Amino acid sequence: MNSRFALLTRSRRRVLMSGFAAALVAMTALPAACEAGAPKNGGDIVFLIDSLGGTWIPNNSAISSFQGHIWGHVTDKLVYVDADGKVSPWIAERWEQNEDATSFILHLKKGVTFSDGTPLDAAAVVANLDIWYAGRKSEGINPIGLFPKTYKSAEAIDASTVKVSFKAPTLGFIPTLGYHGSILISPKTLAQPASQQADLGKTSGSGPYVVESWKEGDFVKLVKRKDYNWGPAAVGHTGPAFLESITYKIVSEPSLRVAAVQSGQADVAYNASPQELKSLKQAGFTIATPRYLGFVNGWAINTRLEPYNDVKVRQALQASINRQEIIDTVYTPEWKLATSFIQSNVPGATDQSALLAYNPDKAGKLLDEAGWIKGANGVRSKDGKPLTLTLYSNPYLATAKAVDELIAQQLGKIGWKVFIRAYDVVTFGEKVQFGGPAVPAYEVTRSFIDAGTVASILTNANNGENWFALGDSDSKLNDLRDRIAGAGTTEIRAPLLDELQRYVLEQGYFIPRTQIVQRIYVQSPRLKGEVYNGIAYASYYTATKGE
């Protein structure tokens, strides 16, 4: 076996690999991933992933970075959104909206069914829209976070026509139907209590694959649905999938995931280290680092905490970060500089690079003006208090701590004293995520489909998330929020979105670091034809596996 592992130089890796092989053998349902000569229309693949999350309740898990891979294959969406944010028909063949974007008519494909035999008709779509909006909170079934909070109602006009009404203009409704939380589930599944919905094997979608077997904390095996015939035209195929099965197998060690693909015992390794990508690409493996539609990786600043309630301190922080050095040191050329606080591939994103230029002289001058004077030890202070910043490394992003350490060095040169804290996923969620009251800078890794949803997320309007702890105190931000929400066309909305991006960055409310690549794929050269959607998930619906 060792001769097949040219890149495994340490005995520990050989031991780990042996353990992985044993795990594959032990799985009664696991496909033979390495059979030679697999036909084009057939074959099985193994996808190694670091987690599969903690629950399979569709509403609660569909937006997970991990479980979204499975949902993307066992469910469909009403519309398809590609990597450039372009929206095209899927289960909704076409749609219309009224002039002020408060009413929409969806026309559905006929003949679509869920895997339990239930028709995916207008009544099923209404059931899904209702639960995306409201969930059933008393049962622990949450609403879908980015589903429009202006939703009023949906009704089935006939078996293939749905009318959707909103309390206010909701221009982003159609694009949001392609968000990874907006998955279509059989009404029979949705009617079940949360405890039964959590059983993935009993969940019925309408997608090209169905769950054949699964084991909590171990694997999920999907097999193709042979009668599937309603894929999105945008991917160039609408009939049954080509691959017979996809098995998602949990392997927590990143080097082991990569080693298994190198050896041919698996086909895809998820979340490899960026530093490994160049050599893997040179060795002939397929490397993919798709950017999702959403926010860049950066910090939302808590303006209630001193000294970050001072705009000059926030502006100094904006100018103190050398973003090019982050890419040159931690990442590879596949990563891109942030040009706004929104990813540059999002329709409506504009280039605000001038506001993100590294300018240590400007930063120092702003801090001087704000009364923060550098002492003999290099740390600035005011009224006897040092200028400090605590960073909480994001456990969902493998490179977060390395970026934090580099930024700590950069800020140290300007006069900050930076502390870095690292928590596990659970503790991070409890103490840091969504900006706890004592967290000065909350690190964001967040996707969305339509830029029009951004303004209400940033503020507290319509139960928004109030990222900067401003409440309603910033009248300009609130005005932009309301005008963006009220826009009936993209032409009206575009200049408002540009102004919003410029204003948020000028005020130092959001401090971008880099454009986000949260999903990294290392893939066997035998596997071809996968497609990456607007949320950067790999779909193997169109993929084939050769010799």
Side-chain angles (χ1 to χ4, degrees):
M1 179 181 288
N2 292 345
S3 62
R4 299 174 63 197
F5 290 68
L7 296 180
L8 304 184
T9 58
R10 298 183 183 274
S11 60
R12 179 171 175 269
R13 281 194 175 185
R14 291 198 295 269
V15 171
L16 286 170
M17 198 63 236
S18 298
F20 171 74
L24 291 186
V25 172
M27 289 176 58
T28 58
L30 191 65
C34 308
E35 292 179 7
K40 181 177 181 180
N41 192 16
D44 309 287
I45 66 169
V46 174
F47 184 115
L48 302 184
I49 195 166
D50 32 335
S51 173
L52 283 174
T55 179
W56 285 105
I57 297 171
N59 267 36
N60 297 5
S61 65
I63 61 171
S64 160
S65 291
F66 303 113
Q67 291 152 310
H69 293 277
I70 284 79
W71 291 124
H73 289 89
V74 301
T75 66
D76 295 319
K77 297 183 178 68
L78 285 162
V79 303
Y80 182 79
V81 179
D82 69 14
D84 297 317
K86 182 181 178 182
V87 179
S88 60
W90 194 349
I91 300 303
E93 288 187 313
R94 66 186 193 282
W95 49 85
E96 300 106 32
Q97 71 178 61
N98 64 358
E99 287 187 6
D100 64 356
T102 58
S103 179
F104 297 78
I105 303 293
L106 306 177
H107 301 275
L108 310 179
K109 283 183 182 177
K110 296 177 181 178
V112 180
T113 59
F114 295 101
S115 59
D116 62 7
T118 304
L120 202 175
D121 57 10
V125 170
V126 170
N128 276 270
L129 290 169
D130 285 346
I131 200 165
W132 295 345
Y133 169 67
R136 296 204 298 270
K137 292 182 181 180
S138 63
E139 296 181 42
I141 298 172
N142 297 318
I144 298 299
L146 287 182
F147 189 76
K149 296 177 177 65
T150 51
Y151 179 77
K152 181 179 180 182
S153 63
E155 60 177 313
I157 303 301
D158 57 40
S160 59
T161 311
V162 179
K163 181 180 180 181
V164 188
S165 301
F166 293 88
K167 302 167 191 172
T170 309
L171 192 60
F173 170 60
I174 295 298
T176 301
L177 296 176
Y179 185 59
H180 59 319
S182 306
I183 58 173
L184 294 166
I185 299 290
S186 167
K188 290 183 180 179
T189 298
L190 296 180
Q192 294 175 344
S195 59
Q196 293 182 38
Q197 288 193 32
D199 185 346
L200 180 62
K202 295 179 180 178
T203 296
S204 295
S206 61
Y209 286 87
V210 296
V211 177
E212 182 184 81
S213 56
W214 72 291
K215 183 179 179 182
E216 191 73 59
D218 189 0
F219 75 96
V220 175
K221 182 184 178 184
L222 310 178
V223 295
K224 81 173 179 179
R225 184 175 168 181
K226 292 181 171 55
D227 65 341
Y228 186 83
N229 194 32
W230 43 83
V235 301
H237 178 57
T238 58
F242 300 116
L243 296 171
E244 292 295 329
S245 75
I246 309 169
T247 297
Y248 291 87
K249 168 69 178 171
I250 296 176
V251 175
S252 58
E253 177 75 29
S255 61
L256 181 52
R257 295 195 296 271
V258 171
V261 174
Q262 291 171 333
S263 73
Q265 292 201 7
D267 302 279
V268 186
Y270 190 55
N271 282 348
S273 166
Q275 284 73 33
E276 294 185 85
L277 300 184
K278 182 177 180 180
S279 61
L280 288 165
K281 190 172 184 178
Q282 290 174 342
F285 294 94
T286 302
I287 304 300
T289 54
R291 290 176 298 147
Y292 61 42
L293 302 168
F295 295 99
V296 301
N297 175 235
W299 301 322
I301 301 300
N302 187 340
T303 61
R304 287 183 185 168
L305 295 181
E306 294 183 348
Y308 302 100
N309 57 346
D310 186 333
V311 63
K312 289 187 176 181
V313 174
R314 299 194 304 268
Q315 290 171 336
L317 187 60
Q318 193 77 281
S320 296
I321 297 175
N322 186 337
R323 295 167 174 87
Q324 186 63 56
E325 186 179 29
I326 295 172
I327 290 177
D328 293 342
T329 305
V330 179
Y331 293 116
T332 70
E334 281 88 357
W335 273 253
K336 296 181 182 295
L337 284 169
T339 56
S340 177
F341 66 90
I342 300 173
Q343 300 265 82
S344 63
N345 55 333
V346 173
T350 53
D351 190 344
Q352 309 289 339
S353 300
L355 298 173
L356 302 177
Y358 175 52
N359 192 334
D361 292 338
K362 175 184 176 182
K365 184 179 179 182
L366 284 164
L367 290 172
D368 288 340
E369 292 173 358
W372 293 93
I373 308 304
K374 187 177 285 190
N377 62 353
V379 176
R380 291 177 180 269
S381 62
K382 180 180 180 180
D383 299 330
K385 295 180 180 179
L387 180 62
T388 64
L389 178 64
T390 300
L391 303 179
Y392 298 87
S393 298
N394 189 335
Y396 294 99
L397 195 62
T399 53
K401 191 168 186 292
V403 174
D404 285 343
E405 289 170 347
L406 180 58
I407 289 178
Q409 294 175 20
Q410 295 174 355
L411 296 182
K413 296 175 183 176
I414 310 298
W416 262 275
K417 186 174 184 178
V418 180
F419 303 94
I420 298 174
R421 296 290 302 272
Y423 291 130
D424 60 27
V425 169
V426 174
T427 308
F428 183 82
E430 293 172 349
K431 294 188 176 183
V432 181
Q433 202 162 11
F434 306 118
V439 176
Y442 158 55
E443 185 183 338
V444 172
T445 53
R446 178 78 172 271
S447 62
F448 61 80
I449 289 291
D450 183 75
T453 64
V454 170
S456 62
I457 292 173
L458 302 182
T459 70
N460 62 355
N462 294 318
N463 297 313
E465 297 173 13
N466 195 22
W467 277 16
F468 314 126
L470 289 163
D472 280 324
S473 64
D474 188 325
S475 58
K476 182 171 182 178
L477 185 62
N478 295 337
D479 177 62
L480 286 168
R481 171 197 71 201
D482 295 340
R483 291 164 67 196
I484 288 168
T489 68
T490 54
E491 290 75 18
I492 294 172
R493 195 177 70 177
L496 298 172
L497 282 170
D498 175 63
E499 188 175 357
L500 173 75
Q501 292 166 74
R502 183 168 60 254
Y503 183 70
V504 165
L505 296 173
E506 283 176 343
Q507 293 298 308
Y509 291 151
F510 194 106
I511 311 295
R513 305 196 319 175
T514 67
Q515 294 203 46
I516 183 69
V517 174
Q518 192 170 342
R519 316 192 209 288
I520 303 172
Y521 302 83
V522 177
Q523 183 173 293
S524 164
R526 297 173 62 197
L527 183 60
K528 299 182 184 299
E530 76 283 356
V531 175
Y532 300 91
N533 67 11
I535 312 297
Y537 283 113
S539 170
Y540 298 99
Y541 164 57
T542 55
T544 60
K545 185 176 178 181
E547 297 183 9

